[in-house]
Amino acid sequence: MSADCPSREILRHITSRWGLLVLISLSEETLRFSELRRRIGGVSEKMLAQTLQSLEDDGFIDRVSYPVVPPHVEYSLTPLGIEVKDQVTGLAEWLESNLHRIMKQRKPREAALQE
């Protein structure tokens, strides 16, 4: 719980808006940058690049660059990345199966804010 604990930064990378989606997207196959971007709707090129860099720095993603023109770069999960993906997939699955309940709770709160 310490504010200085490095786990906070790593947790932020994993559970960020795009981090979780990147981990899940790479769970079954190696993908190129453009394939990842198409798979994860709404992510900008800049945010995807930053997310991939963070996850690579943390040891969750392998980046392989092939010396060809045009550049060919592939991303895949490391064994550590597979472990963390397995942990966060449960959260994503729970969210998907309970989204209707969450949205039902939001409606009265949103209506109260609009008054």
Side-chain angles (χ1 to χ4, degrees), residues 25-104:
S25 295
L26 292 173
S27 66
E28 295 188 19
E29 62 184 319
T30 298
L31 296 171
R32 293 177 68 175
F33 185 91
S34 58
E35 293 169 323
L36 266 170
R37 187 152 182 239
R38 278 192 298 275
R39 187 165 290 184
I40 303 171
V43 66
S44 70
E45 194 170 308
K46 177 183 176 184
M47 287 309 301
L48 181 57
Q50 287 177 355
T51 300
L52 289 167
Q53 181 66 53
S54 296
L55 293 173
E56 182 184 4
D57 290 346
D58 293 337
F60 299 128
I61 289 179
D62 268 335
R63 178 184 184 274
V64 178
S65 180
Y66 297 94
V68 295
V69 177
H72 182 98
V73 179
E74 293 181 340
Y75 298 90
S76 61
L77 294 180
T78 64
L80 192 61
I82 292 169
E83 287 181 43
V84 76
K85 182 271 307 173
D86 289 343
Q87 297 298 314
V88 297
T89 297
L91 174 61
E93 288 172 353
W94 180 89
L95 178 61
E96 287 294 322
S97 64
N98 288 283
L99 187 58
H100 66 285
R101 293 172 54 209
I102 298 165
M103 297 308 291
K104 186 177 177 181

